[in-house]
Amino acid sequence: MPILYVIGFLIMGVVGTNILKKYLPKFPEPFILICLGIAMSFTKAFQNFELEPEFFMLLVIAPLMFVDGQRQSFAKIRSRFKLIVTLSVVLAVVTVVIVGSVTNLIEVAWTLPLAMALAAIVTPTDAVAVSSMTSSSQMPEGVNQALELESLFNDATGLVILDLALTVLGNQSLSVADGIGRFMFVAVGGIAVGLFLGWLIVLLRVRLSLNINIDHPEYSVIPVSLLTPFVVYLVAEHLGMSGILAVVATGIIHNWESNRLRLSATQVQISQRVIWDTISNILNSVVFLILGITLPTVARSIVKMVPGELLGLVGLAMIIYISMLLVRYFWALWEHEGSAVQLLGAKDVQQHYFYSKIFAISGIHGTMTLAMAFSLPQVINGQAFPFRDQVILVATMVILISMLVSAIVLPRLLPAKVENYSSDALEVVRGKMVDYAILQMHDQIPDHAVREALSQQLQSQKGWGTVDRDQLTQDYQNGMLEIKDFISDFIHSPDVLQKYSRLTILLFEKFVDRIQVEKLPKHHQFWWFKKIKQRLKHTRRKIRWDVQLQRDPKQRQKMMEMRQLRQQWQEVSSHEETRQLKLQMQQEVTDLTNEVIDASDQKLDQMLKERLQAKHGDNQYIDVMRQNLDRYFQKMQRNFKSDVQINSDLFIQAFQYEMTYVRQLVQNDIIPQALAAELYDEINQAQSLQIQQLNDTNVAESTPLTVIEASN
């Protein structure tokens, strides 16, 4: 049960951060997560929390590295293999040697293997943290690629060097040759295991995906995909090799699988891509939450230290960070002879200096460093691990210093990110796209109920975004006044007056007068509250109507005329004749209502068309008017059609109209390709979801669904 509380709190922290970052746009997301993690550390579920490295490596780091590996292609790895080795291995080893030597010179009480262990812990970088810190800045593409390739394998380099340092600390003899041999066994062996297991798993998944005899292959392929990083990591670690490198290698193999399948097994590929993107985003947030949760544990060890020792360790953390900063800067600077373009993509010397500075400052250290620090054993060689709390404190300080420096400096050095389009522009074009499809479909669907049901389904693509409620209310009021005047003119037109009795016209006019235009309707979640409010509204409306009759001579005259006509029925007709007249009037009201509905639909379509021609995208008030009028006319007819069947052909055709509209905007250079790609993706997803829902409904009702082939 406690593990459920832990998972629940972590997910709540991720959700809370997604809400808070909307209100704190200039505050880096990792710091929000760390602050929430610190707050969560005071809950009962996280009291005396200490990071379990094996748990963290298996359940968090392994899937993240698997996803990172899937984003790298064989072609990219092959073309940049030398650069990867340079950054992930050579630069990491050089950093460990220099930082370890500096640490050993400052902390004379520490042995060289212990100093090297600390250097191995603080060496790995975190590309995810860099992306979070620079979300609003334009990171140079070459620098960004170098950071991604560096962080892809340097975690494993740090882990292997840490293992070698701990071996020496345990009084086990280890020569240079043995160290190099062990390094090659762990690193190269891990990659080999990952490639072999990845190849086997990919063969299995490809066969399952393409096997036509298996119904719903995603039910088999996706579970295999979810288990892959854990199985590969455990097997590699059991063999004494690097599980991290094995998982990365397996991820690269799975990138090949996507290219192999291409347009085959699209349902499987889309489903697992969405699942892994979601898992990756959640775990990336969990990493910083755990960092915040572990900080109080580190703080408790600080309390036990004397002030002089604490200041010395803080100074050591500063020196270590500066040492790594200089190593990274001069390393990138030194790579200018013939390889500047390959490393950072610089075009001239001055730009190379600037890119080298950005590369150095972007060497942020994350939770991987903290996990390695907490992986230090409590006891080594039968004795307490020397200076374990001090090492953990220094590693934590290096993490925080690197994050603070990058958060402050990078946004000032880098230009602000220029988006191809804004979220407001996307919302406006999306609204126009949906309105265009609705207008096209209205011309082809004679049945009002089907037409409105389809319109409401398509309207759900819009969402409400950041709608100005006051402006929407004002537009709604003006629109409803216009449509009421239109209906009034329609029912008093010569054609209508010739077809229907005077009493029917007066009665219908009374119904029209009751249409509310003062404010937008509010939809309540609790039906009983809505029912009470409707009853109160009906009572107020009746009182207001009676008062209006007393004040308005015209309305009072109409009411008197209605009463006189009804009285004439009762005086001159028998009971049976009166009943027949009432049935006739009810039929006339129904027929007139249907005519008004068709006329109102045409009027609303005309209003929408005029706004689209005027290039207005804020047409939500017309959608609300359409829904409320439809609901009101249903009440008049006592015809509540809650379940209207819509042929799947209509959805496919509507989505094709949306595609056509977006394509026209692109061809006329009205919107950029990036915005169009976003809308194409939304349309495809909506189309897939709608067909799947219709398919599920038809299967449940044992009704075959027409298979439709459509091309975009």
Side-chain angles (χ1 to χ4, degrees):
M1 186 63 69
I3 190 64
L4 296 179
Y5 288 118
V6 171
I7 295 174
F9 272 110
L10 291 175
I11 294 177
M12 288 173 58
V14 175
V15 174
T17 301
N18 289 330
I19 297 173
L20 287 175
K21 68 182 182 182
K22 298 295 183 182
Y23 301 97
L24 302 170
K26 295 185 178 181
F27 201 71
E29 184 179 347
F31 287 114
I32 300 177
L33 289 162
I34 291 173
C35 292
L36 282 179
I38 293 173
M40 291 164 56
S41 67
F42 294 101
T43 62
K44 188 176 180 180
F46 294 102
Q47 284 183 353
N48 300 320
F49 177 85
E50 184 168 328
L51 185 63
E52 291 290 341
E54 294 181 0
F55 172 85
F56 180 77
M57 292 287 187
L58 175 62
L59 297 184
V60 178
I61 298 299
L64 283 177
M65 299 307 294
F66 177 67
V67 173
D68 288 343
Q70 289 186 87
R71 293 169 180 166
Q72 309 298 328
S73 66
F74 262 126
K76 184 177 181 180
I77 296 296
R78 184 171 58 252
S79 63
R80 293 179 171 262
F81 180 76
K82 181 180 178 181
L83 177 60
I84 292 173
V85 174
T86 300
L87 292 172
S88 298
V89 180
V90 180
L91 177 58
V93 172
V94 170
T95 303
V96 169
V97 172
I98 294 176
V99 172
S101 301
V102 171
T103 302
N104 187 241
L105 288 174
I106 296 174
E107 290 290 341
V108 294
W110 293 15
T111 61
L112 181 60
L114 180 59
M116 290 296 178
L118 174 60
I121 289 172
V122 299
T123 292
T125 55
D126 190 342
V128 175
V130 177
S131 300
S132 300
M133 295 293 181
T134 59
S135 58
S136 60
S137 302
Q138 187 68 42
M139 175 69 75
E141 183 178 355
V143 178
N144 192 54
Q145 287 188 3
L147 292 170
E148 289 181 356
L149 295 175
E150 177 191 19
S151 64
L152 195 61
F153 295 106
N154 69 353
D155 292 347
T157 302
L159 285 169
V160 173
I161 296 176
L162 176 61
D163 180 62
L164 296 176
L166 293 179
T167 300
V168 176
L169 276 173
N171 288 332
Q172 299 182 17
S173 59
L174 186 68
S175 64
V176 175
D178 292 337
I180 295 175
R182 181 171 176 80
F183 181 90
M184 296 298 294
F185 172 78
V186 173
V188 178
I191 294 175
V193 169
L195 292 175
F196 177 72
L197 292 179
W199 177 71
L200 291 179
I201 296 172
V202 162
L203 287 181
L204 173 63
R205 287 172 51 177
V206 169
R207 290 187 176 276
L208 290 175
S209 299
L210 301 180
N211 193 334
I212 60 175
N213 297 321
I214 298 179
D215 294 332
H216 301 291
E218 63 270 17
Y219 296 162
S220 301
V221 175
I222 293 177
V224 171
S225 175
L226 294 175
L227 289 174
T228 295
F230 308 113
V231 172
V232 172
Y233 180 86
L234 290 174
V235 171
E237 289 292 322
H238 178 72
L239 297 175
M241 301 172 185
S242 173
I244 296 297
L245 286 176
V247 169
V248 172
T250 300
I252 295 172
I253 289 289
H254 281 68
N255 177 275
W256 170 81
E257 175 201 18
S258 299
N259 294 329
R260 167 79 181 275
L261 293 177
R262 291 190 180 273
L263 298 181
S264 304
T266 54
Q267 178 67 29
V268 176
Q269 293 192 73
I270 292 174
S271 298
Q272 69 180 10
R273 182 175 299 176
V274 171
I275 291 173
W276 273 116
D277 284 346
T278 304
I279 292 175
S280 175
N281 291 331
I282 292 175
L283 291 181
N284 281 324
S285 299
V286 167
V287 162
F288 294 104
L289 281 174
I290 292 177
L291 176 57
I293 293 170
T294 56
L295 287 180
T297 302
V298 178
R300 282 191 288 269
S301 65
I302 294 176
V303 175
K304 303 175 184 178
M305 298 179 183
V306 297
E309 182 185 11
L310 177 59
L311 289 176
L313 293 176
V314 172
L316 175 62
M318 289 290 297
I319 293 172
I320 288 176
Y321 173 73
I322 294 173
S323 300
M324 289 190 294
L325 190 70
L326 293 175
V327 169
R328 295 176 61 81
Y329 176 72
F330 286 110
W331 181 274
L333 205 60
W334 174 70
E335 288 286 340
H336 73 282
E337 291 295 338
S339 60
V341 174
Q342 181 185 13
L343 179 63
L344 302 177
K347 296 180 180 179
D348 52 52
V349 176
Q350 185 177 1
Q351 190 180 54
H352 185 66
Y353 274 91
F354 176 72
Y355 283 1
S356 299
K357 186 187 303 182
I358 298 299
F359 177 78
I361 299 173
S362 299
I364 301 176
H365 309 277
T367 315
M368 185 67 180
T369 293
L370 197 65
M372 292 169 65
F374 275 104
S375 69
L376 296 175
Q378 297 283 352
V379 178
I380 188 168
N381 198 25
Q383 297 180 355
F385 192 94
F387 304 103
R388 184 177 186 272
D389 291 343
Q390 288 82 345
V391 171
I392 294 176
L393 173 60
V394 172
T396 305
M397 292 300 301
V398 170
I399 293 172
L400 297 178
I401 293 170
S402 67
M403 295 180 70
L404 285 171
V405 171
S406 62
I408 296 172
V409 176
L410 287 179
R412 286 166 172 77
L413 291 178
L414 297 173
K417 183 177 291 185
V418 179
E419 300 289 349
N420 292 326
Y421 60 90
S422 65
S423 57
D424 292 338
L426 175 63
E427 187 176 338
V428 169
V429 177
R430 183 193 294 121
K432 293 179 181 179
M433 173 191 75
V434 175
D435 292 336
Y436 173 83
I438 288 175
L439 285 175
Q440 300 301 317
M441 297 304 297
H442 278 190
D443 294 338
Q444 304 178 25
I445 304 175
D447 191 328
H448 170 77
V450 175
R451 190 166 60 235
E452 290 306 311
L454 178 64
S455 297
Q456 292 184 21
Q457 289 280 355
L458 295 176
Q459 291 292 347
S460 64
Q461 292 177 267
K462 288 185 178 181
W464 287 87
T466 56
V467 175
D468 186 345
R469 183 79 180 184
D470 294 334
Q471 184 63 43
L472 180 62
T473 302
Q474 182 179 350
D475 292 339
Y476 173 79
Q477 292 172 350
N478 295 335
M480 289 301 291
L481 288 173
E482 183 180 352
I483 200 70
K484 284 184 68 173
D485 291 340
F486 170 79
I487 294 174
S488 179
D489 294 339
F490 178 80
I491 62 178
H492 288 94
S493 62
D495 293 340
V496 174
L497 292 175
Q498 290 179 3
K499 293 174 61 176
Y500 300 101
S501 66
R502 177 63 180 169
L503 181 59
T504 300
I505 300 296
L506 291 172
L507 184 60
F508 198 90
E509 191 173 14
K510 177 181 176 181
F511 292 151
V512 174
D513 289 336
R514 291 181 176 178
I515 298 177
Q516 297 296 305
V517 300
E518 289 84 3
K519 58 183 179 179
L520 286 171
K522 295 182 179 179
H523 304 286
H524 297 282
Q525 182 178 4
F526 303 104
W527 64 270
W528 52 268
F529 183 76
K530 183 177 179 181
K531 203 73 174 177
I532 295 173
K533 187 170 183 179
Q534 287 178 344
R535 178 60 60 185
L536 293 174
K537 184 185 295 185
H538 177 74
T539 304
R540 289 198 306 269
R541 188 182 300 157
K542 187 176 185 304
I543 295 173
R544 188 167 59 249
W545 178 257
D546 293 339
V547 172
Q548 184 178 359
L549 286 178
Q550 298 298 325
R551 294 179 178 177
D552 190 347
K554 186 177 180 181
Q555 293 291 345
R556 187 165 62 249
Q557 181 180 356
K558 291 180 181 179
M559 182 59 67
M560 292 299 297
E561 185 179 356
M562 290 178 61
R563 290 178 179 175
Q564 290 175 2
L565 290 172
R566 289 179 176 177
Q567 187 176 2
Q568 290 176 6
W569 281 3
Q570 297 176 356
E571 290 177 354
V572 302
S573 303
S574 63
H575 177 73
E576 179 62 26
E577 291 174 339
T578 302
R579 190 179 69 85
Q580 291 295 330
L581 288 173
K582 287 184 177 180
L583 291 175
Q584 180 182 350
M585 188 187 68
Q586 290 176 359
Q587 184 61 45
E588 287 186 355
V589 170
T590 300
D591 294 341
L592 180 56
T593 302
N594 290 331
E595 290 192 32
V596 170
I597 288 174
D598 292 338
S600 300
D601 285 347
Q602 294 178 8
K603 175 62 177 178
L604 291 172
D605 287 348
Q606 180 184 355
M607 293 170 61
L608 182 57
K609 188 177 298 183
E610 290 174 353
R611 288 190 62 83
L612 285 178
Q613 290 175 350
K615 301 187 183 305
H616 290 298
D618 51 339
N619 305 319
Q620 289 90 341
Y621 78 95
I622 297 180
D623 308 334
V624 180
M625 288 171 55
R626 194 186 299 275
Q627 295 179 22
N628 292 337
L629 285 174
D630 184 60
R631 191 179 300 111
Y632 186 78
F633 288 139
Q634 284 186 10
K635 289 181 180 179
M636 288 178 55
Q637 296 177 312
R638 291 181 172 81
N639 181 23
F640 301 98
K641 298 181 180 180
S642 58
D643 186 15
V644 179
Q645 296 294 328
I646 306 175
N647 194 297
S648 58
D649 295 7
L650 299 178
F651 281 109
I652 298 297
Q653 193 169 358
F655 292 135
Q656 293 305 308
Y657 280 127
E658 292 181 357
M659 287 280 191
T660 301
Y661 181 79
V662 176
R663 192 179 300 115
Q664 291 174 353
L665 294 181
V666 174
Q667 291 174 351
N668 296 328
D669 293 328
I670 298 176
I671 62 174
Q673 285 285 353
L675 194 153
E678 178 72 19
L679 291 174
Y680 285 146
D681 188 52
E682 290 183 5
I683 296 170
N684 285 327
Q685 292 181 12
Q687 181 172 268
S688 300
L689 176 62
Q690 190 60 50
I691 293 177
Q692 183 63 46
Q693 289 177 344
L694 288 171
N695 185 47
D696 293 342
T697 302
N698 280 273
V699 169
E701 296 175 355
S702 300
T703 303
L705 177 66
T706 304
V707 178
I708 300 173
E709 294 183 358
S711 63
N712 294 333

